[in-house]
Amino acid sequence: MEKLKKYASVKDEDQFYHQGAVELLVFNFLLILTILTIWLFKKHRFRFLHETGGAMVYGLVMGLLIRYATKASNVENGTVYECEKLESGPSTLLLNITNQVYEYQYKREISHHNINGHQGNAMLQKMTFDPSIFFNILLPPIIFHAGYSLKKRHFFRNLGSILTYAFLGTAISCIVIGLIMYGFVKAMVHIGQLKAWEFHFTDCLFFGSLMSATDPVTVLAIFHELHVDTDLYTLLFGESVLNDAVAIVLTYSISIYSPKENPNAFDAAAFFQSVGNFLGIFAGSFAMGSSYAVVTHLTKFTKLCEFPMLETGLFFLLSWSAFLSAEAAGLTGIVAVLFCGVTQAHYTYNNLSSDSRMRTKELFEFMNFLAENVIFCYMGLALFTFQNHIFNPLFIFGAFVAVFIARACNIYPLSFLLNLARKQKIPRNFQHMMMFSGLRGAIAFALAIRDTGSQPKQMMFTTALLIVFFTVWVFGGGTTPMLTWLQIRVGVDPDEDLKGQAASQSASKLDKNTTKAESAWLFRVWYAFDHRYLKPILTHAGPPLTTTLPEWCNPVARLLTSPSAYGDQLKNEDTGYIINNDELSENYESSAHTLGPKQERTGCTQATGKEDICEGDLGLGTYELRLEHTSCQRQLNSLA
Amino acid sequence: MEKLKKYASVKDEDQFYHQGAVELLVFNFLLILTILTIWLFKKHRFRFLHETGGAMVYGLVMGLLIRYATKASNVENGTVYECEKLESGPSTLLLNITNQVYEYQYKREISHHNINGHQGNAMLQKMTFDPSIFFNILLPPIIFHAGYSLKKRHFFRNLGSILTYAFLGTAISCIVIGLIMYGFVKAMVHIGQLKAWEFHFTDCLFFGSLMSATDPVTVLAIFHELHVDTDLYTLLFGESVLNDAVAIVLTYSISIYSPKENPNAFDAAAFFQSVGNFLGIFAGSFAMGSSYAVVTHLTKFTKLCEFPMLETGLFFLLSWSAFLSAEAAGLTGIVAVLFCGVTQAHYTYNNLSSDSRMRTKELFEFMNFLAENVIFCYMGLALFTFQNHIFNPLFIFGAFVAVFIARACNIYPLSFLLNLARKQKIPRNFQHMMMFSGLRGAIAFALAIRDTGSQPKQMMFTTALLIVFFTVWVFGGGTTPMLTWLQIRVGVDPDEDLKGQAASQSASKLDKNTTKAESAWLFRVWYAFDHRYLKPILTHAGPPLTTTLPEWCNPVARLLTSPSAYGDQLKNEDTGYIINNDELSENYESSAHTLGPKQERTGCTQATGKEDICEGDLGLGTYELRLEHTSCQRQLNSLA
């Protein structure tokens, strides 16, 4: 007896010691393979399979291996125990088994027809990880990175169009998919594949909203590599970033839409409540994200930049907290972290030491890279390791049809409407390319896997997974041929692009016309406000508040203005596209004279970060690039 | 009915959507507080509370709040259900509750006297996270960082002493603690606090081994900041790094020690099997870690350095895989990742692009910082949130006594023995400081929390936690006064230190004597071998193999030698302390002439990385520092 117990405890311990290692190792192995493949592809300039597509292939193969090469280890697991004493499933269950009390934790509900089969395979079970890991750990860095690396100038130039595609387009897409799917569901009920009460119209809309989150990461990577036309890039990138946020909030609003009576009938009160929910959650999340970014700005007053490690740590933790706070408050973390990223890039970035700028950029880039590839690997794995798949050919066919029709109903009519107002039209070939770039990815998958408790949800998950596979491989792989076929110009330098436009006009009218036409008065007001008040308050950049605020505010203004703002008065102005040109050229001349010697004095807070501008383009214009270069050379001279 | 079900599912979903966010937010909040505190302390040069101590204080306060300010949310949870059908606890349980099948996952065994109480508080339960997270996610970056940032020159100078303290010292400590605790346990049995069959001598030894892992992170941080004598720093750092590895393997060996008959009697066969286990696991893990590092070296032949992101990713994943593979193979991941780190620093670092060098260094530094503070926060939390504490005053008192006696039995006798052999003695005040620096930290905690299934283990966990608190706060806080009191010199520059020694001898005898005396013949042989064969094979540095291998090997040698090795023949030699001085000064002269113009040519693979040397001191000697500086200036000139 004693011996037996000892043996059992040793065995338990042994298992315990190595718990989780094998599963993590599988992922590591897949990621290593993916990295080596990417390297091979990049080296040979092979663009038909993107890293994410490669990660999915490897995940698929590994899933196949795990499913069919490992055997069911624990026969006990297939058995279902009856429990009459309980009325609902508690989150924690204490069981007395042969005089020892064991604690069990609730995992999920299992549909009856999935109980046997591969239920007994412990490896399969372990490879299926908690969906909350996606939402709390893997998605935030991806979305934050998207916000943090948004090319602001081009983004604001196309803001109207991007917002239209993101809000109106996603709503159209959601409704179109919902309607088409409802048709298919009706047909399925008709031929007896489905029971009518299993699938409501709200479920169809739910599917529509989750399938509306586009994720053209593959396409954008190729665009970035080939330097495709910046406007097209910005339109696609901006749309996909904002559209994720919209789709997530939409999905959530629909999931809590609860009509009082018949779930198939239209309930106006419940509908407006859902719309209200949508707006409330979106606005709340936006406010939450921005306010966290504002908290981070307070680093302006600390001398934290003397310790780049602490600065980076604080930056990282506050950005993640924005996400978590929003989630904890019942809002949408993804939206919060997106706007937190945008705001951080706009303000906080200016307060960071040059060391921290590099560190945060590299850190988020790295985390984005890892998280993205883990998700795509996992998608590949999930096709074989997820145990509750329901493949329904009619539903899958319907979904494919619906997704493409919905994308068309989104892009073409909206582009037509936008072209009525835009001075610089969106050409036909851009529209086709945007139509083509309606890939589905991480967000659609994460939304679908979040809830796989009921049969309709499991059917949706399976279908969403197949659509992701198809779009990533087929459309992702076809990007380069498509670009050639549509004759979209490549090899465009974003800065050259703007300069070229400027040069084509007379020197004195530089950017004035296009800017006025494209940025609505709202944004000009916002920019002026931002430039005069927010930037000086929140960062070390901008004109000192003492000059922009009325005179009676001087005591407060002096307190809030960073000492370096006086010296740098004319340096960091982010004015290129809003204020008029006379002011701009004035700035250019005066700062060219004063910048050189100043650089050395300001030290820690006013880093040059020449290389930072190249990719992120965080708030500095073309002129400054030239200025920084000059000053860098001077610094090198003075160092030497 | 329909409505009710809808409501229930909405509620479930709602909970599900925000699952995990609150708990993560609590940790984020604690870490942010810790960072701000560290900054405040650093700014005011306040050294009586280290960041880890601060993290523990905040964790403690938060634990107190969670425990007493949140109320039990789910009354269902306190109930224990009988289950006659089951004979042992399966890892997954399927329950049929009112016609729906739910899946439950095994969490842990609960001792009978802990069933009620705070069992019902959901928040408390959620804050207690899976110990496998410590082992698989939080510890590896800490240990890898320790290995990666080992100051190699000083480490090898003191290798003999470090190995003695780490292996012999830990064994002594384990046995002394085990014996003393066995005495206390006997006393407890005598006065009726404990039943004899509950606590064997092996349990006492188990406790001894886990309490032998010292973690003077607080002390080392202060040493680093004050630039305390490098030999003392290296002795302490080296001891603590290796001693963790030894303690972990020892704990594991003891936990699988299973005497055939009476568990209290000595069983020679089982004992020798345990010793064999210890050696086997240690050697196996060492081999595993090093071989992963060798795999990484193959990056020498790829041109991966053109993509620093991929390079960093591969480096990170392979290092983590070393840990996971060792765990999956039943070895000790910590030992594997430690030696992987040491080997990576020695070889792979030389192959990395300068961008990747910075990235990997900063990444691991950052991960180390976060992981360390998370663990210490969690320790503070655990005092109030862990639900199975057993406070036994006699056991706790015994443990405190045992820990201090064991530390004394480790340091003083071993220092005496070492001083018989060492030319440069370990002075009395160094010994006292080492005695004083016997802090317990993350490893002891992680080992104790790994298994809290039985009552003796719970008692050990509680006691270990208290010892960690006491040593970190009292000894950690007392480091600065202790340094003053023991008159240990501070403000030493590690490079100056060596140069000073060199200068005090005649120029031609530079370092020759001390080196010969302190590095045993084994290491000289190893160094020669490493320098002539391993370095050229694995890195771009070192002399070309065509010169070191016999002539008939030339074809193979040419294949294996990096093209840049010919040019850099005399640059990256890591010879400072082993080969004789004539060769050294020759190198110095010749490379001083050839280095300048070469730097620019080698580009991607031969980065200068002047700033890298400052802290990590990764394989470059003092002379090279000077050379690099000259070359850097030249580069600046040439750029200007």
Side-chain angles (χ1 to χ4, degrees), chain A residues 77 107 119 121-128 387, chain B residues 92 103:
Chain A
N77 287 331
K107 212 174 155 196
Q119 211 63 41
N121 191 327
M123 189 68 193
L124 279 189
Q125 274 171 19
K126 278 179 194 158
M127 292 310 296
T128 322
Q387 292 172 29
Chain B
T92 311
E103 189 178 334

Side-chain angles (χ1 to χ4, degrees), chain A residues 1-294:
Chain A
M1 174 68 198
E2 176 76 346
K3 223 172 102 185
L4 200 87
K5 206 185 146 195
K6 194 92 195 168
Y7 177 70
S9 92
V10 166
K11 210 191 133 214
D12 283 1
E13 210 159 77
D14 208 46
Q15 279 187 336
F16 187 63
Y17 267 61
H18 311 301
Q19 201 183 43
V22 179
E23 294 85 62
L24 284 172
L25 192 60
V26 169
F27 276 100
N28 267 14
F29 177 68
L30 290 176
L31 289 178
I32 290 169
L33 271 184
T34 308
I35 287 183
L36 291 176
T37 316
I38 301 168
W39 166 69
L40 219 67
F41 285 1
K42 284 206 174 179
K43 204 177 149 197
H44 296 104
R45 297 175 190 283
F46 179 82
R47 290 197 189 90
F48 299 99
L49 186 62
H50 182 246
E51 54 198 69
T52 49
M56 275 194 336
V57 173
Y58 288 125
L60 208 69
V61 173
M62 183 58 83
L64 206 68
L65 280 178
I66 292 173
R67 173 128 196 181
Y68 295 107
T70 63
K71 56 177 186 284
S73 58
N74 200 341
V75 275
E76 183 78 273
N77 287 331
T79 331
V80 180
Y81 296 93
E82 298 294 323
C83 212
E84 297 87 16
K85 288 166 205 157
L86 283 165
E87 279 173 15
S88 66
S91 65
T92 312
L93 195 68
L94 298 180
L95 279 185
N96 190 347
I97 299 167
T98 57
N99 248 333
Q100 278 184 305
V101 181
Y102 296 100
E103 189 178 331
Y104 281 86
Q105 209 168 20
Y106 177 75
K107 212 174 155 196
R108 55 178 167 163
E109 194 189 325
I110 290 179
S111 65
H112 285 273
H113 65 108
N114 268 319
I115 286 167
N116 33 27
H118 288 267
Q119 211 63 41
N121 191 327
M123 189 68 193
L124 279 189
Q125 274 171 19
K126 278 179 194 158
M127 292 310 296
T128 322
F129 60 62
D130 192 343
S132 72
I133 291 178
F134 279 110
F135 272 84
N136 293 333
I137 296 176
L138 294 175
L139 281 187
I142 296 179
I143 306 291
F144 184 86
H145 182 73
Y148 199 58
S149 61
L150 208 69
K151 280 187 194 289
K152 275 214 326 272
R153 274 181 303 152
H154 295 277
F155 181 73
F156 280 110
R157 280 212 309 179
N158 293 296
L159 192 72
S161 311
I162 289 171
L163 287 178
T164 312
Y165 286 124
F167 281 84
L168 254 181
T170 308
I172 291 174
S173 168
C174 168
I175 293 167
V176 170
I177 295 178
L179 285 172
I180 295 175
M181 288 322 290
Y182 193 58
F184 275 91
V185 164
K186 280 272 177 227
M188 282 158 73
V189 171
H190 192 72
I191 61 168
Q193 284 192 350
L194 211 66
K195 288 178 196 81
W197 51 265
E198 276 187 323
F199 223 112
H200 303 302
F201 181 60
T202 46
D203 291 321
C204 293
L205 273 182
F206 179 83
F207 183 69
S209 64
L210 74 86
M211 286 317 302
S212 298
T214 60
D215 181 13
V217 50
T218 316
V219 177
L220 289 174
I222 293 170
F223 278 22
H224 187 82
E225 211 174 304
L226 295 178
H227 298 287
V228 166
D229 185 281
T230 325
D231 276 315
L232 178 59
Y233 181 90
T234 311
L235 279 177
L236 252 185
F237 184 66
E239 187 223 344
S240 77
V241 166
L242 282 180
N243 135 311
D244 288 347
V246 175
I248 287 173
V249 181
L250 207 57
T251 310
Y252 182 64
S253 305
I254 291 171
S255 78
I256 61 173
Y257 166 80
S258 48
K260 294 242 162 47
E261 309 281 315
N262 179 356
N264 274 321
F266 180 76
D267 181 336
F271 173 76
F272 283 111
Q273 207 193 328
S274 270
V275 172
N277 274 339
F278 175 84
L279 294 176
I281 292 171
F282 203 94
S285 308
F286 176 85
M288 179 77 85
S290 315
S291 60
Y292 261 95
V294 169

Side-chain angles (χ1 to χ4, degrees), chain A residues 16 18 90 104 327 450 636, chain B residues 16 18 90 104 327 450 636:
Chain A
F16 187 63
H18 311 301
Y104 281 86
E327 285 286 310
R450 213 175 211 184
L636 276 177
Chain B
F16 187 64
H18 311 300
Y104 280 85
E327 285 287 310
R450 212 173 213 188
L636 278 175

Side-chain angles (χ1 to χ4, degrees), chain A residues 339-356:
Chain A
F339 290 105
C340 181
V342 174
T343 323
Q344 301 272 43
H346 193 59
Y347 299 116
T348 319
Y349 192 80
N350 291 320
N351 295 348
L352 292 178
S353 63
S354 71
D355 197 2
S356 290

Side-chain angles (χ1 to χ4, degrees), chain A residues 524-640:
Chain A
R524 286 165 63 202
V525 170
W526 155 251
Y527 249 85
F529 179 74
D530 179 48
H531 171 67
R532 289 203 189 139
Y533 308 110
L534 288 183
K535 278 223 154 184
I537 290 175
L538 296 171
T539 73
H540 295 288
L545 281 169
T546 39
T547 61
T548 55
L549 282 177
E551 213 155 290
W552 56 268
C553 296
N554 260 354
V556 185
R558 222 169 277 134
L559 196 73
L560 287 172
T561 305
S562 160
S564 57
Y566 297 102
D568 285 357
Q569 194 163 350
L570 299 161
K571 185 182 161 278
N572 267 327
E573 296 188 345
D574 184 18
T575 51
Y577 300 94
I578 306 300
I579 57 164
N580 73 56
N581 182 56
D582 301 332
E583 209 178 317
L584 194 74
S585 55
E586 206 180 290
N587 288 346
Y588 174 52
E589 301 226 306
S590 59
S591 48
H593 288 285
T594 53
L595 201 68
K598 217 188 311 151
Q599 280 294 350
E600 288 146 53
R601 193 157 30 84
T602 48
C604 152
T605 48
Q606 292 297 332
T608 47
K610 184 183 143 204
E611 63 282 40
D612 291 348
I613 300 166
C614 309
E615 222 181 311
D617 189 28
L618 293 151
L620 294 164
T622 322
Y623 303 107
E624 289 210 48
L625 189 71
R626 221 182 297 152
L627 288 177
E628 299 257 357
H629 186 67
T630 323
S631 108
C632 184
Q633 283 186 326
R634 275 184 210 178
Q635 236 181 334
L636 276 177
N637 277 328
S638 71
L639 269 172

